[in-house]
Amino acid sequence: MLLGILKESAPGETRVSLLPESLKSLLAQGIAVHVEAGAGVSAGASDQAYADAGAVVSGDRGAILGSADILPVVNAPRAADQALLKSGAIVIGFLKPLDAPDALTTAIALHVTLFSMELVPRISRAQTMDALSSMATVAGYKAVISAADLLPRLFPMLMTAAGTIPPARVFGSGAGVAGLQAIATARRLGAVVEAYDVRAAAGEQVRSLGAKFLDVDLGGINAEGGGGYAAELTEEALDRGRDLITKTAAHSDVIVTTAQVPGRPAPRLIRRAAIEAMRPGSVLVDLAAPAGGNCELTRPGVTQDIGGVMLLAPLNLPAEVPVHASQLYARNVLNFLALIVKKGVLSVDLGDEVLAGACVAHQGKPVNPRVAKLLESTIPQAG
Ligand code: NAD
């Protein structure tokens, strides 16, 4: 059995799917690992390190694609790469099956089995495979570090002979995985932190990090969706959050916003008026940019100066911390691989709820019902 590791081709991508340290358990099972030259360089892993770990390093990307039985990736391979894959090969990665299902049709038509790390069910048994949480953790941290770097102020309170510097004030809107990591990072840097989330359960977690939770009366509606996620709110309930944010923005030096509702565009929570209320030099980091953004002025991927307030809308912050983002991702992928490779033997059991949940397509047919619906007109359906 051959496992391939490619150099990621998406612009700005610096992560790699598996690191040299990940290979030991695979090689011990008799799996051959072929790595494209340069695959791990930006994540701190040299070709020599892969070779020393027991992999074959090669400059022939096409040969790796054409011979791999398993291809763990960070991002979906482009169509030209998919076309080189073997029928029956397995690709595992952030494949964006709900955002860009059409970009996977070449592999599906070739009967490649696709597993999407975004679709791994968020159940206890699959926590070690939860790559979304891993990347959200890295993004939440980096958002605060980026804001601290841009802010023309210090974060901690300093009492010096030259006088006292007050602490920075940080506001987190959305207190899920990324938001809580942003709050924890801002607290470690000494900021005074406030946060808001529609899920009341988030309040306790926010307070446990030493931040103040801002409660909003949503008029008695249930804001909890399934699985710990938020439900989509009415415009009236959203407005109550918007009012709170506009008020809080006026005394905030930094806002990190991460609010999302699965499968929906990010809720527009931050009005132009909130940005205009912030002091010049303040920074807003919109981590919901990949889903359209939480701020009505956000332009995904573009940094804007709005009357002296910096509005950042990064699309791939984990790629700015490639070593640890790759390390966490590789561990998630290895744990996932353990479900399909046992003692060197490959076996895909779609009776396993984790595999079934994560499977985008198998044997030429979409497996995930939402993906199947999206591809209805292009791909023959299962069953
Ligand atoms: P997410 O990225 O979908 O959303 C981020 C946050 O935005 C959530 O806390 C959500 O409540 C909040 N939000 C949505 N609409 C909002 C609005 N209008 N105003 C303010 N906030 C709003 O979620 P996530 O961070 O991936 O996960 C959220 C929760 O899911 C976690 O806190 C946890 O309870 C649960 N979770 C469980 C597992 C697991 O069991 N394996 C793994 C990860 C997360």
Side-chain angles (χ1 to χ4, degrees):
M1 190 190 322
L2 195 146
L3 180 145
I5 301 173
L6 295 181
K7 184 169 171 53
E8 292 291 316
S9 56
E13 188 54 80
T14 55
R15 293 168 292 175
V16 64
S17 60
L18 289 177
L19 288 164
E21 67 193 31
S22 326
L23 306 188
K24 203 170 160 191
S25 62
L26 300 170
L27 294 162
Q29 296 181 62
I31 300 169
V33 179
H34 287 206
V35 180
E36 184 180 0
V41 169
S42 46
S46 65
D47 291 346
Q48 191 60 49
Y50 281 104
D52 290 347
V56 175
V57 179
S58 139
D60 192 343
R61 182 180 178 91
I64 295 174
L65 281 159
S67 56
D69 299 293
I70 306 178
L71 193 74
V73 292
V74 178
N75 304 293
R78 53 195 175 203
D81 284 344
Q82 290 174 33
L84 299 176
L85 290 166
K86 284 201 301 205
S87 175
I90 294 176
V91 177
I92 303 164
F94 284 125
L95 304 182
K96 299 197 171 133
L98 301 176
D99 302 330
D102 289 335
L104 302 172
T105 50
T106 306
I108 296 174
L110 280 170
H111 288 219
V112 170
T113 297
L114 301 173
F115 287 109
S116 154
M117 291 305 278
E118 297 98 321
L119 296 180
V120 170
R122 288 178 125 178
I123 55 174
S124 308
R125 184 164 76 86
Q127 260 177 8
T128 58
M129 307 160 208
D130 186 353
L132 279 183
S133 286
S134 297
M135 296 306 109
T137 299
V138 175
Y141 163 86
K142 187 66 179 176
V144 170
I145 300 299
S146 307
D149 190 31
L150 276 178
L151 194 73
R153 296 170 170 272
L154 297 167
F155 255 50
M157 182 174 92
L158 292 183
M159 295 170 91
T160 79
T164 299
I165 303 278
R169 301 198 62 156
V170 174
F171 173 56
S173 141
V177 181
L180 289 172
Q181 188 54 237
I183 292 166
T185 305
R187 289 285 300 138
R188 279 185 217 118
L189 287 176
V192 169
V193 183
E194 296 172 304
Y196 162 63
D197 196 295
V198 281
R199 291 179 303 112
E204 202 180 311
Q205 292 166 310
V206 166
R207 283 188 285 269
S208 75
L209 293 170
K212 183 175 174 191
F213 188 67
L214 304 178
D215 258 322
V216 174
D217 176 7
L218 295 174
I221 64 156
N222 180 16
E224 307 261 352
Y229 291 109
E232 195 170 22
L233 300 188
T234 61
E235 270 307 303
E236 194 207 330
L238 280 172
D239 261 339
R240 296 188 188 196
R242 291 179 182 123
D243 291 344
L244 169 92
I245 291 171
T246 306
K247 208 168 100 200
T248 310
H251 62 247
S252 299
D253 298 302
V254 169
I255 297 179
V256 176
T257 179
T258 61
Q260 299 219 39
V261 177
R264 306 292 310 149
R268 286 289 156 103
L269 294 175
I270 304 182
R271 303 181 180 120
R272 171 186 281 276
I275 296 217
E276 287 171 355
M278 295 177 86
R279 269 191 294 217
S282 304
V283 182
L284 191 156
V285 186
D286 191 344
L287 281 187
N294 288 145
C295 176
E296 64 184 25
L297 300 182
T298 289
R299 288 167 58 201
V302 178
T303 295
Q304 303 176 73
D305 178 338
I306 296 163
V309 175
M310 298 307 292
L311 169 52
L312 279 60
L315 292 174
N316 190 3
L317 266 191
E320 294 182 28
V321 195
V323 172
H324 282 142
S326 300
Q327 201 174 90
L328 294 173
Y329 183 65
R331 287 179 190 161
N332 295 139
V333 168
L334 266 189
N335 289 324
F336 187 87
L337 276 173
L339 298 180
I340 54 172
V341 186
K342 293 187 181 111
K343 296 193 178 142
V345 179
L346 189 60
S347 135
V348 174
D349 171 13
L350 291 182
D352 179 323
E353 65 176 319
V354 176
L355 292 181
C359 191
V360 176
H362 183 55
Q363 296 175 342
K365 308 246 167 35
V367 171
N368 180 287
R370 287 161 75 196
V371 179
K373 181 116 193 74
L374 291 168
L375 288 176
E376 234 158 34
S377 54
T378 20
I379 300 272
Q381 304 298 294

